[in-house]
Amino acid sequence: MNTSHKNISLFVQWCLDHPYQVILVVCGISTAATILAGNLEGGTGFPLDDAWIHQTYARNLALTGQWEYIPGETSAGSTSPLWTLLLSIGFLIGLKNPVIWSAILSTIFFYGMVVMFYKILCRMTGATSIGSLAGSLLLALEWHLLWSSGSGMETILYCFLVLSVFNLLLLGKKWLWMGLLAGLCVWVRPDGITLLGPILLVLAWKLYKKETKFISVVEFLLPLVVLLVAYGWINYSISGKVLPNTFYAKQLEYASVLNQPLWLRLAKVFLVPVSGAGVLLIPVIFYSVKKAITAKNMWLAGVILWFVGYGVLYALRLPMTYQHGRYLFPLIPVYFVIGVFGMLELVRKLKSQGTRRKILAYMMVASGYFYAVLFSIIGAIALTDDIKTINRLMVQPALWIKENTAETAVVAVHDIGAMGYFAERQMIDLAGLINPEVIPFIRDQEKIEEYLIQEKADYLVVFYDWYDELSDFGNPVKRFEWSDGNRVETVEVRDIKLDK
């Protein structure tokens, strides 16, 4: 063996002996590079206005100990109370820039997500292998998830918890912990309740095969029910409903999209996990499906059914794929579990069928990394552009309101995130997150105008073309524009002062 081959073998062996260190280095570099690129080029901030909603709730929680968006007014506008609680720690320890603490949390959970992915692959293949490690590093370069690490949203935490649940489910033990994690998933996103499907499938199968006892059901349900009841009670005590206002508002706001043909909605939903390096995993998905059927692998069947079911539910209820399909990002790590396992199975077969097919196997892996790196760069560019957009169209109007209006001004706005964090004014939320009474007429502009008159709003801040029937309502006093070269987005501030 020549020196170069020997060095490569030593390096591979070192990686196998220290997989978590390797994952830590790759995750640290990939997330840091993406977040720094976005914030250095795009300006400090987040690529979504919703991230500022979490920050506003978190800041008020740290300052007052109350679940308030506007100080003095409790509201159930946070979809992810657990994420908000974690963000509040940053304010409690005195970090002035919320982007820093959000990035730290996201990087930690990103690492945890990839570690869980690695553990799952090792258990699925029955061995610690360079293939499992290589597949895990492929996930660490997935551009949607890297974009999410800089988004300020709960997505990476949710993905980490989902894979943690599947990892415990594969282990087939620790049902108490599984119930706890499944309950926490709901505290991160209400759709975490869908994990009940694969868990109950595997649990029922194990009871049938007498591989576990009924006490496992009790152990699983006890922490789950406690957390679900607590989640529903907190929301109900604030808003009179067991789910956050966001859940109901989004259903009505985007109801018109449900008029699209179902096949088109399904196509858009399932295009998200394959729009990147994931496209190379499409052919090998069938190996995993075959394995689930022929080996009667209930765990793998549950994972596949969750992936399909989750996507179908969104296609039926909220088929929104804007902002890179961010609502569907949790599908991605699960899709990679299914696809990478299938790829490992295929590579194993090819390597045993001669030199040419062995080379083909290596080419498949190399292609995956090429696409992953390429799209990770594209993801960093997308993060940069999105941060610039939010800073121009959301943050700057909020700062203008803060500097040019009275502290007692009432501002009606569709996107409340940056406005709530920076302007610190009394607000009327046209999206219904903190004003749930708006939800029934969220798309009826005539009733919205009547409501603003009734509530005596002073200013209206909306996208120029979103409320065309209100174009004569008030006087335009300031415009903020942003262009990506293809289209121009305009946010308009209108003075609609009414007699008090």
Side-chain angles (χ1 to χ4, degrees):
M1 180 182 293
N2 60 40
T3 304
S4 61
H5 285 173
K6 183 178 179 180
N7 289 337
I8 292 173
S9 297
L10 288 173
F11 175 72
V12 170
Q13 188 57 51
W14 184 90
C15 290
L16 285 173
D17 292 338
H18 305 85
Y20 301 122
Q21 289 91 325
V22 174
I23 293 172
L24 178 62
V25 170
V26 174
C27 288
I29 292 174
S30 60
T31 54
T34 302
I35 294 170
L36 285 174
N39 281 270
L40 291 177
E41 292 295 322
T44 301
F46 299 110
L48 300 166
D49 187 66
D50 288 4
W52 290 113
I53 296 178
H54 285 305
Q55 295 293 340
T56 305
Y57 270 113
R59 181 181 62 187
N60 290 339
L61 181 63
L63 292 175
T64 68
Q66 301 296 316
W67 209 260
E68 301 171 340
Y69 195 80
I70 299 173
E73 298 181 12
T74 57
S75 60
S78 174
T79 310
S80 182
L82 180 58
W83 181 242
T84 299
L85 284 167
L86 292 173
L87 290 177
S88 69
I89 296 173
F91 293 98
L92 289 172
I93 63 179
L95 283 177
K96 294 183 179 180
N97 188 338
V99 175
I100 295 175
W101 181 242
S102 173
I104 291 172
L105 287 176
S106 292
T107 300
I108 291 171
F109 291 121
F110 192 96
Y111 169 67
M113 174 189 67
V114 179
V115 166
M116 286 300 125
F117 188 85
Y118 172 71
K119 287 185 175 182
I120 288 172
L121 285 182
C122 288
R123 287 192 171 121
M124 290 177 75
T125 57
T128 299
S129 67
I130 195 65
S132 296
L133 182 58
S136 302
L137 299 183
L138 192 65
L139 181 69
L141 297 172
E142 209 290 323
W143 78 271
H144 296 89
L145 301 178
L146 288 172
W147 183 92
S148 291
S149 68
S151 70
M153 299 297 288
E154 74 283 351
T155 310
I156 297 300
L157 169 59
Y158 185 61
C159 290
F160 163 69
L161 289 174
V162 168
L163 288 189
S164 296
V165 168
F166 281 130
N167 179 51
L168 285 181
L169 192 60
L170 182 57
L171 189 62
K173 301 176 182 178
K174 301 182 179 180
W175 297 98
L176 187 72
W177 281 102
M178 204 178 306
L180 177 64
L181 289 175
L184 288 177
C185 279
V186 176
W187 278 70
V188 176
R189 281 174 59 159
D191 39 330
I193 195 66
T194 55
L195 286 169
L196 276 176
I199 294 174
L200 293 179
L201 174 65
V202 172
L203 190 51
W205 180 255
K206 286 185 173 296
L207 287 171
Y208 171 73
K209 300 288 286 186
K210 297 182 179 180
E211 295 175 358
T212 191
K213 297 180 180 179
F214 187 75
I215 189 64
S216 300
V217 179
V218 178
E219 290 177 353
F220 167 68
L221 289 177
L222 183 60
L224 175 65
V225 171
V226 169
L227 286 170
L228 291 180
V229 170
Y231 178 80
W233 177 80
I234 288 175
N235 283 311
Y236 188 82
S237 65
I238 295 173
S239 66
K241 297 179 180 179
V242 296
L243 292 172
N245 296 333
T246 313
F247 177 84
Y248 304 101
K250 296 294 183 184
Q251 298 288 312
L252 286 176
E253 184 174 8
Y254 299 113
S256 60
V257 185
L258 295 176
N259 293 327
Q260 296 178 350
L262 179 59
W263 69 265
L264 180 59
R265 285 180 270 151
L266 287 168
K268 288 181 177 180
V269 165
F270 287 107
L271 184 63
V272 172
V274 302
S275 57
V279 70
L280 297 176
L281 298 177
I282 294 176
V284 295
I285 287 290
F286 300 104
Y287 280 88
S288 294
V289 174
K290 180 182 178 182
K291 183 78 172 182
I293 297 172
T294 58
K296 295 182 180 180
N297 188 326
M298 286 299 109
W299 180 87
L300 186 54
V303 172
I304 295 171
L305 289 174
W306 183 87
F307 171 78
V308 174
Y310 195 89
V312 170
L313 282 175
Y314 264 89
L316 292 174
R317 299 298 300 167
L318 191 64
M320 299 306 301
T321 55
Y322 66 106
Q323 295 168 334
H324 315 299
R326 65 183 180 93
Y327 291 111
L328 302 162
F329 285 1
L331 286 173
I332 295 172
V334 178
Y335 170 73
F336 267 64
V337 166
I338 303 166
V340 171
F341 175 69
M343 177 173 279
L344 292 178
E345 287 287 296
L346 177 59
V347 168
R348 181 178 59 80
K349 289 183 178 180
L350 291 175
K351 287 174 67 175
S352 64
Q353 295 177 1
T355 304
R356 289 186 177 181
R357 296 203 173 187
K358 188 175 182 179
I359 293 173
L360 177 61
Y362 288 134
M363 288 178 62
M364 288 175 58
V365 175
S367 298
Y369 276 101
F370 173 78
Y371 273 91
V373 171
L374 176 63
F375 277 95
S376 67
I377 295 172
I378 294 173
I381 295 172
L383 181 66
T384 300
D385 290 341
D386 294 336
I387 291 175
K388 285 181 180 178
T389 302
I390 295 301
N391 284 345
R392 179 60 181 169
L393 297 179
M394 305 296 172
V395 174
Q396 289 192 22
L399 293 173
W400 188 90
I401 288 289
K402 183 177 180 65
E403 295 167 1
N404 295 277
T405 66
E407 292 184 2
T408 56
V410 178
V411 182
V413 60
H414 183 275
D415 296 283
I416 65 172
M419 191 64 67
Y421 189 86
F422 293 100
E424 299 181 285
R425 294 290 186 268
Q426 187 72 23
M427 286 190 301
I428 297 173
D429 176 17
L430 299 181
L433 305 186
I434 62 174
N435 293 101
E437 66 274 14
V438 173
I439 295 176
F441 53 89
I442 199 168
R443 304 303 297 171
D444 189 328
Q445 296 184 44
E446 183 177 343
K447 289 187 178 180
I448 287 175
E449 181 174 344
E450 294 173 0
Y451 178 76
L452 295 182
I453 293 173
Q454 173 188 321
E455 297 298 316
K456 299 181 178 179
D458 294 309
Y459 295 91
L460 175 65
V461 183
V462 291
F463 277 92
Y464 179 72
D465 56 347
W466 279 17
Y467 294 87
D468 54 310
E469 294 178 25
L470 299 180
S471 58
D472 297 327
F473 187 49
N475 300 312
V477 292
K478 185 69 176 178
R479 279 189 175 183
F480 299 86
E481 292 186 346
W482 167 255
S483 174
D484 63 358
N486 297 316
R487 69 185 191 283
V488 177
E489 297 282 2
T490 303
V491 168
E492 191 172 74
V493 180
R494 297 179 193 163
D495 187 334
I496 56 172
K497 288 188 181 69
L498 303 166
D499 292 336
K500 298 293 183 180

